[in-house]
């Protein structure tokens, strides 16, 4: 009962469109309240396959669909199973190198994976789309990645959900369909008797790299990444040295990680992806969230011209220690505030329930269209779980738009806004938004 209540609180605070998610087969639709007028629904006369066959501009997708075994898998799920296809046109696929000849040459298993990425279970209706993004789970699973347990069927001992590639859908004021913050052209939605088809002018990007891999390859974020590596190493070295004193022998780093697996500090805990020997009962190994990635120039604007400057500041201002009273790692570096603001929604400042700690983390995957929407200002970053409702943590940032450029800063901080100079860089961890200034809370001084 306690878990059901916690999940209910969590679900209610997600923005409204999550209630319409068709990625889950349970409780897909809620009945209209008694006496309320039911809006007119478009009527379907054709099946998904017939709609696909009638679209001349989708011949490559149709070839892939006909070759794949996905439709057979859907048939085996039962006669009442519905599904929605996202169909890029021939021009969109040719642009990224997917041609009819390539489909012919692909192994059937690879075509299956391709089609599962563009397929969601359930019927997506046009009137479900909103200006804010609505996550839809595709049929495609990445077997090496594990996310925190929430909505998969409960298996005894299970501690994670499967990583399913998601499409974050929105409809903007101009009538364009947005997927993961990118325009797919004017919405072309066609309802079928067994689902729906959405024909698109552009292709949906599939993420293939983690946020760390993307940022390392980019080259603009060397200070941000390197300071986390070094802070992590110094933290562990400090713990090992001080633990050795209290334990009476020289503790190895591996032993520290065994004793304190959840305190592996900034870099390893967030960035590393471990492959488990028994993935069925392993812990999550990837963090899904939005990153505001500060460039090297952002640090230089703040007077930190190199990694040496950053680490010198950390050496001067930190209270990292092994707490002999609590017998556990404790303390922070001054730059933890910066790290936490840019990759963890400043939960550093979230209130703590004295009995239960921080409230449960809410979904924090937001694309550029979401950051420009009104709901974001009052969104709860943390709410529910074991913590009392009064310890919920509301969005710490204020967002603004100036001449089409998004900006954000800590509320009431008096600090300059960080402008998003590049948005919606898709990774396996979620979107990256590149910012040109550091996010500094009220009263925080770097010097």
């Amino acid at each position: 009962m306690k878990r059901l209540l916690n999940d209910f609180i969590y679900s209610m605070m997600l923005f409204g469109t999550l209630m319409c998610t068709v990625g889950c087969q349970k409780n897909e639709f809620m009945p209209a309240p008694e006496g309320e007028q039911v809006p007119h629904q478009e009527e379907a006369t054709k099946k998904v396959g017939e709609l696909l066959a009638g679209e001349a501009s989708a011949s490559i997708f149709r070839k892939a669909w006909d070759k794949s075994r996905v439709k057979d898998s859907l048939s085996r799920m039962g006669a009442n199973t519905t599904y929605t296809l996202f169909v890029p046109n021939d021009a969109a696929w040719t642009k990224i190198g997917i041609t009819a000849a390539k489909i012919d040459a692909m192994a059937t298993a690879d075509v299956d994976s391709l089609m599962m990425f563009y397929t969601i279970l359930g019927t997506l209706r046009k009137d479900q789309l909103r200006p804010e993004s609505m996550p839809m789970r595709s049929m495609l699973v990445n077997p090496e990645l594990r996310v925190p347990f929430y909505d998969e069927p409960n298996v005894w001992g299970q501690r994670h959900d499967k990583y399913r590639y998601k499409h974050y859908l929105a409809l903007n004021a101009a009538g364009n369909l947005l997927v993961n913050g990118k325009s797919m052209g004017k919405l072309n939605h066609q309802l079928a008797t067994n689902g729906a088809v959405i024909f698109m002018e552009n292709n949906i990007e599939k993420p293939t790299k983690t946020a760390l891999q993307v940022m390392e390859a980019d080259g603009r974020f060397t200070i941000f990444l390197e300071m986390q590596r070094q802070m992590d190493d110094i933290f562990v070295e400090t713990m090992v040295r001080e633990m050795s004193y209290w334990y009476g022998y020289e503790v190895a780093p591996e032993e520290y990680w065994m004793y304190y697996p959840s305190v592996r500090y900034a870099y390893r805990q967030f960035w590393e992806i471990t492959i488990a020997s028994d993935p069925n009962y392993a812990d999550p190994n990837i963090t899904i969230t939005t990153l505001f990635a500060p460039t090297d120039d952002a640090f230089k604007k703040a007077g930190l011209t190199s990694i040496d400057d950053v680490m010198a500041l950390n050496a001067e201002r930190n209270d990292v220690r092994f707490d002999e009273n609590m017998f556990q790692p404790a303390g922070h570096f001054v730059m933890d505030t910066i790290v936490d603001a840019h990759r963890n929604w400043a939960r550093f400042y979230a209130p703590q329930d004295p009995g239960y700690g921080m409230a449960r983390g809410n979904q924090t995957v937001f694309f550029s269209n979401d950051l420009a929407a009104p709901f974001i200002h009052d969104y709860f970053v943390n709410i529910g779980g074991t913590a009392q409702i009064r310890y919920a943590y509301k969005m710490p940032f204020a967002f603004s738009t100036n001449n089409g450029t998004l900006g954000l800063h800590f509320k009431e901080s008096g600090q300059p806004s960080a402008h998003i100079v590049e948005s919606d860089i898709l990774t396996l961890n979620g979107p990256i938004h590149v910012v040109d200034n550091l996010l500094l809370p009220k009263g925080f001084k770097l010097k």
Side-chain angles (χ1 to χ4, degrees):
M1 177 63 70
K2 184 177 181 180
R3 172 177 179 141
L4 290 174
L5 178 59
N6 291 340
D7 285 348
F8 173 76
I9 294 172
Y10 174 76
S11 300
M12 288 299 291
M13 297 313 300
L14 292 175
F15 43 86
T17 50
L18 284 178
M19 301 300 291
C20 299
T21 301
V22 300
C24 179
Q25 294 184 38
K26 300 177 183 178
N27 303 321
E28 285 186 43
F29 304 106
M30 296 295 291
E34 186 176 351
E36 181 175 314
Q37 183 177 359
V38 177
H40 171 74
Q41 301 287 352
E42 53 186 320
E43 295 183 2
T45 58
K46 297 181 179 180
K47 292 185 176 182
V48 167
E50 294 175 300
L51 293 176
L52 190 59
E55 181 57 50
S57 67
S59 63
I60 303 175
F61 188 98
R62 185 166 60 252
K63 175 181 280 288
W65 181 252
D66 290 342
K67 182 173 180 177
S68 80
R69 296 165 293 190
V70 174
K71 55 186 177 299
D72 301 322
S73 298
L74 292 165
S75 296
R76 288 193 293 270
M77 292 181 187
N80 294 326
T81 300
T82 64
Y83 57 97
T84 301
L85 292 184
F86 296 87
V87 182
N89 64 22
D90 292 345
W93 262 14
T94 301
K95 187 176 180 179
I96 61 170
I98 300 179
T99 62
K102 184 170 183 177
I103 297 297
D104 286 335
M106 288 174 66
T108 303
D110 293 335
V111 179
D112 290 343
S113 295
L114 183 66
M115 291 294 94
M116 285 191 287
F117 179 71
Y118 293 95
T119 306
I120 64 171
L121 292 176
T123 301
L124 175 67
R125 287 186 173 273
K126 188 187 303 184
D127 57 13
Q128 291 177 261
L129 297 170
R130 298 290 185 270
E132 59 270 15
S133 296
M134 175 171 58
M136 295 292 186
R137 296 188 303 157
S138 78
M139 293 182 66
L140 184 62
V141 172
N142 186 322
E144 294 186 347
L145 300 179
R146 308 181 299 274
V147 298
F149 175 81
Y150 183 65
D151 57 2
E152 292 287 350
N154 195 1
V155 177
W156 179 256
Q158 180 179 341
R159 299 196 294 270
H160 68 271
D161 277 350
K162 299 174 183 178
Y163 182 103
R164 294 184 182 273
Y165 292 88
K166 292 183 179 180
H167 307 315
Y168 290 78
L169 311 179
L171 185 65
N172 68 15
N176 293 318
L177 174 68
L178 305 180
V179 180
N180 305 331
K182 307 291 186 183
S183 175
M184 298 293 112
K186 291 291 184 182
L187 177 64
N188 183 357
H189 174 282
Q190 298 186 29
L191 191 65
T193 56
N194 61 338
V197 183
I198 297 179
F199 294 102
M200 305 180 300
E201 299 172 14
N202 294 308
N203 182 60
I204 301 176
E205 178 186 1
K206 177 188 172 186
T208 59
K209 297 180 179 179
T210 65
L212 176 61
Q213 291 169 329
V214 169
M215 294 172 73
E216 285 181 330
D218 187 289
R220 288 178 289 177
F221 313 105
T222 59
I223 296 178
F224 184 60
L225 295 178
E226 183 60 23
M227 78 174 188
Q228 292 175 72
R229 292 189 184 98
Q230 293 194 27
M231 288 160 66
D232 191 32
D233 289 341
I234 294 171
F235 187 90
V236 174
E237 289 168 6
T238 302
M239 293 307 117
V240 166
R241 182 179 65 252
E242 297 191 5
M243 285 171 64
S244 297
Y245 173 81
W246 291 103
Y247 281 45
Y249 66 92
E250 187 173 343
V251 176
E254 292 76 15
E255 189 174 3
Y256 162 76
W257 292 328
M258 179 181 68
Y259 284 130
Y260 303 102
S262 62
V263 193
R264 295 178 66 182
Y265 203 57
Y267 186 78
R268 289 186 176 89
Q269 189 178 22
F270 187 86
W271 297 109
E272 283 191 350
I273 291 183
T274 56
I275 305 301
S277 56
D278 186 357
N280 291 322
Y281 303 104
D283 290 320
N285 65 350
I286 188 170
T287 301
I288 311 297
T289 189
T290 299
L291 283 171
F292 298 104
T295 62
D296 291 345
D297 285 340
F299 282 89
K300 292 173 183 177
K301 286 182 184 179
L304 302 171
T305 60
S306 67
I307 186 62
D308 292 336
D309 288 346
V310 172
M311 297 313 296
L313 188 62
N314 274 327
E316 294 172 6
R317 296 165 58 185
N318 78 83
D319 63 346
V320 173
R321 67 200 183 282
F322 185 76
D323 190 325
E324 64 271 21
N325 295 316
M326 301 299 294
F327 229 64
Q328 65 182 13
H332 302 90
F333 294 101
V334 65
M335 295 306 289
D336 278 328
T337 299
I338 302 301
V339 172
D340 194 64
H342 287 270
R343 75 172 201 196
N344 195 37
W345 297 88
R347 288 184 171 97
F348 198 86
Y349 294 96
Q352 302 268 347
D353 185 321
Y356 300 100
M358 192 182 301
R360 182 177 182 174
N362 210 344
Q363 189 215 214
T364 49
V365 175
F366 298 119
F367 291 87
S368 55
N369 55 291
D370 303 312
L371 301 180
F375 84 90
I376 196 73
H377 297 276
D378 295 318
Y379 187 81
F380 282 96
V381 175
N382 286 72
I383 191 165
T386 54
Q388 300 176 62
I389 190 67
R390 61 195 175 104
Y391 292 100
Y393 179 49
K394 189 176 283 190
M395 174 62 67
F397 302 126
F399 295 87
S400 60
T401 304
N402 185 14
N403 294 325
T405 300
L406 280 165
L408 69 155
H409 61 272
F410 273 92
K411 292 176 179 177
E412 301 178 356
S413 68
Q415 302 282 5
S417 288
H419 301 102
I420 298 177
V421 296
E422 185 177 354
S423 61
D424 304 323
I425 300 174
L426 196 61
T427 78
L428 290 165
N429 297 84
I432 294 175
H433 305 299
V434 181
V435 294
D436 63 353
N437 280 312
L438 298 183
L439 293 166
L440 304 177
K442 184 177 181 179
F444 183 84
K445 303 290 185 183
L446 284 172
K447 295 293 185 179

